[in-house]
């Protein structure tokens, strides 16, 4: 088709349309459940919409329990690195960074969302296609919106940690690490 002078954008749409029809036919034949067919159709629609995104930062932010963002186009993301807080935008230099407990700020236009991360990593890569969209992948042990943090419960946990016996090295280490994390939760909850 490309050799016949059909533009690349039309070619991509034609291929996507053929895949969608294929999924519908397979679903009608009973080889796939309706839920699986709907999932594939929504995934196909998501990737079709991503094809039009250019020169934006594509953010993936996940924890073992959930995926908060999956290749969402954003303007910037500010993260708490172990060497200090820094902001990543599209076309940033390549980076792999360890993250410490703190607040991640995601900006998209005038919208801004904050998330608490207990610790994790950030991987930043340049585009692998012609879109100009770089990718930032944040993988955290715990990632929650700061609005979900309970300041009163964190204060209670901090008091329990400080009141616990510190007879052994393990007790002292547990209290030190736990209190440092809870203090970051309290700071983020403000």
């Amino acid at each position: 088709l490309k050799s016949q002078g059909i533009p690349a954008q039309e070619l991509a749409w034609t291929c996507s349309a053929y895949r969608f029809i294929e999924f519908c036919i397979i679903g009608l034949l009973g080889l796939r459940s309706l839920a699986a067919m709907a999932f594939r159709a929504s995934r196909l629609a998501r990737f079709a919409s991503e094809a039009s995104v250019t020169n934006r930062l594509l953010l993936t932010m996940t924890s073992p329990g959930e995926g908060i963002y999956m290749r969402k186009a954003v303007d910037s993301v500010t993260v708490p690195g172990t060497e200090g807080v820094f902001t990543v935008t599209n076309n940033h230099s390549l980076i792999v960074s360890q993250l410490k407990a703190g607040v991640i700020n995601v900006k998209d236009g005038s919208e801004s969302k904050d998330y608490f991360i207990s610790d994790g990593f950030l991987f930043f890569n340049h585009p692998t296609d012609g879109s100009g969209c770089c990718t930032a992948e944040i993988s955290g042990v715990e990632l929650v919106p700061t609005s979900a943090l309970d300041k009163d419960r964190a204060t209670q946990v901090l008091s329990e940690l400080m009141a616990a016996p510190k007879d052994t090295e393990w007790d002292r280490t547990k209290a030190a690490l736990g209190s440092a994390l809870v203090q970051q939760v309290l700071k983020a909850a403000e």
Side-chain angles (χ1 to χ4, degrees), residues 51-184:
S52 63
V53 175
T54 58
N55 292 317
R56 299 282 310 275
L57 177 62
L58 298 178
L59 177 64
T60 299
M61 200 160 75
T62 61
S63 69
E66 71 176 315
I68 296 172
Y69 294 123
M70 298 302 286
R71 295 180 56 87
K72 178 178 174 26
V74 298
D75 291 331
S76 68
V77 60
T78 302
V79 296
T82 54
E83 299 296 320
V85 175
F86 63 96
T87 300
V88 175
T89 59
N90 199 41
N91 296 320
H92 191 278
S93 59
L94 293 174
I95 188 170
V96 174
S97 179
Q98 184 177 2
L99 304 177
K100 65 179 183 175
V103 176
I104 294 175
N105 180 268
V106 178
K107 289 187 181 174
D108 188 18
S110 61
E111 189 177 321
S112 180
K113 292 185 180 178
D114 291 334
Y115 297 89
F116 177 79
I117 185 170
S118 60
D119 65 339
F121 288 91
L122 169 103
F123 303 92
F124 183 88
N125 292 298
H126 287 155
T128 56
D129 57 11
S131 69
C133 295
C134 295
T135 58
E137 298 171 8
I138 296 174
S139 180
V141 175
E142 290 291 337
L143 276 165
V144 294
T146 53
S147 60
L149 297 175
D150 184 350
K151 191 174 183 179
D152 295 332
R153 177 68 181 130
T155 304
Q156 179 185 357
V157 169
L158 184 60
S159 333
E160 290 169 7
L161 281 169
M162 300 315 282
K166 296 171 188 63
D167 301 330
T168 66
E169 185 66 30
W170 168 244
D171 291 338
R172 289 186 291 277
T173 303
K174 187 171 68 170
L177 292 174
S179 64
L181 180 61
V182 173
Q183 287 173 357
Q184 288 298 320

